[in-house]
Amino acid sequence: MASPAHDPGPVLDQDGVRLTVDDAIATVTLTNPAKRNAQSPALWRALTEAGRRLPGSVRVVVLRAEGKSFSAGLDRQAFTPEGFDGEPSFIDLARGGDAELDATITEYQEAFTWWRRSDILSVAAVQGHAIGAGFQLALACDLRVVADDVQFAMRETSLGLVPDLTGTHPLVSLVGYARALEICATGRFVTAEEAVTTGLANLAVPADQLDGAVHDLVSAVLAAPRDAVVETKALLQGARDRDYESQRAAERAAQARRLRDLAGIGE
């Protein structure tokens, strides 16, 4: 009788973040639904560590969250004088020097940067509230599939702050400067219908179909050869910074690499 398959368990499970890996698919789950997956420096460090622990076999990373809300944003404890246990409060950070403050924010941002690495494709599955840091975490991914109850909002400006967790660049790239400014300056909610219409989301489905829709998308991505997806992602990422002729040249170079690879001819 065959023995049951061994479940190695999570690769990481700490500070509200769980990373599991199933061959080519990694899943990063926010695991504090009681607090609507509110974010903290400890959670950001755990997200950064999840990126570092991805095995080379991983092609797709799915970001999801337990509970009714994807993430309600920054834990309001950050704004109290005491802040988080073992962490400098935001008030303490504000009193520090420019270099120290810059270094701290840079560390926080690392939790949001690795999702666009060229060797992986990341998909955020978003339901309920995705506010502030939650919105920016969804924006950190390459693709977003949302439930029809999703509510995106960028509330930093309403609190006297600015979005500083890497969300401004993808937001402007997706919806344009004027709409991005309006979303940030007003702090209003963006619903599923508007998210799909403006390009913030690739697809919106009923909440009970979210996991299935993400599974179908991931399966479609994995059906294509890995190297072709990696090259295409890099080609599209670079298109924003190239003029037309430079992009044509990049296409030719990328295709030459693919053809040589398929023919078994080295560079």
Side-chain angles (χ1 to χ4, degrees):
M1 180 175 180
S3 59
H6 174 61
D7 181 0
V11 176
L12 177 75
D13 195 353
Q14 67 183 53
D15 297 316
V17 174
R18 182 173 63 244
L19 168 65
T20 57
V21 176
D22 182 6
D23 193 21
I25 304 170
T27 303
V28 176
T29 306
L30 306 183
T31 61
N32 192 3
K35 295 194 73 171
R36 295 196 299 165
N37 298 303
Q39 298 183 30
S40 67
L43 179 140
W44 295 333
R45 283 193 289 271
L47 286 173
T48 300
E49 184 62 22
R52 291 178 181 143
R53 294 198 190 185
L54 289 182
S57 62
V58 169
R59 293 185 55 188
V60 177
V61 181
V62 175
L63 171 64
R64 59 182 301 277
E66 295 178 349
K68 295 182 178 180
S69 293
F70 178 76
S71 175
L74 182 63
D75 191 321
R76 292 302 180 93
Q77 189 174 335
F79 298 102
T80 63
E82 60 272 14
F84 301 101
D85 290 342
E87 304 277 356
S89 70
F90 280 18
I91 295 173
D92 292 334
L93 289 174
R95 290 173 178 152
D98 289 347
E100 178 185 0
L101 185 55
D102 184 78
T104 300
I105 296 174
T106 297
E107 179 189 354
Y108 296 163
Q109 289 177 331
E110 290 177 1
F112 296 76
T113 58
W114 62 265
W115 304 89
R116 290 180 181 259
R117 278 170 30 185
S118 61
D119 61 321
I120 59 172
L121 190 146
S122 54
V123 182
V126 190
Q127 79 281 5
H129 293 95
I131 297 173
F135 191 4
Q136 294 188 77
L137 186 56
L139 285 167
C141 292
D142 295 309
L143 309 174
R144 279 152 297 283
V145 178
V146 302
D148 56 9
D149 66 350
V150 76
Q151 295 187 76
F152 291 114
M154 201 73 85
R155 289 290 172 80
E156 286 82 353
T157 308
S158 305
L159 297 171
L161 302 169
V162 300
D164 67 336
L165 297 172
T166 78
T168 57
H169 190 279
L171 182 62
V172 172
S173 296
L174 290 166
V175 306
Y177 160 75
R179 189 179 295 268
L181 177 59
E182 179 255 328
I183 288 171
C184 292
T186 64
R188 70 173 177 84
F189 286 119
V190 177
T191 62
E193 181 180 2
E194 182 181 354
V196 172
T197 300
T198 59
L200 274 174
N202 297 82
L203 177 68
V205 296
D208 61 355
Q209 298 177 25
L210 184 60
D211 289 343
V214 171
H215 177 270
D216 290 346
L217 175 59
V218 170
S219 297
V221 170
L222 293 178
R226 177 172 194 163
D227 289 345
V229 174
V230 169
E231 286 273 15
T232 300
K233 179 176 177 178
L235 192 61
L236 295 175
Q237 283 180 319
R240 292 176 298 209
D241 301 318
R242 301 188 189 104
D243 61 24
Y244 180 72
E245 292 303 324
S246 297
Q247 184 67 8
R248 287 180 61 205
E251 290 175 358
R252 294 194 299 271
Q255 192 71 303
R257 286 191 295 271
R258 296 304 315 128
L259 289 170
R260 290 191 183 104
D261 184 67
L262 291 173
I265 301 171
E267 292 285 345

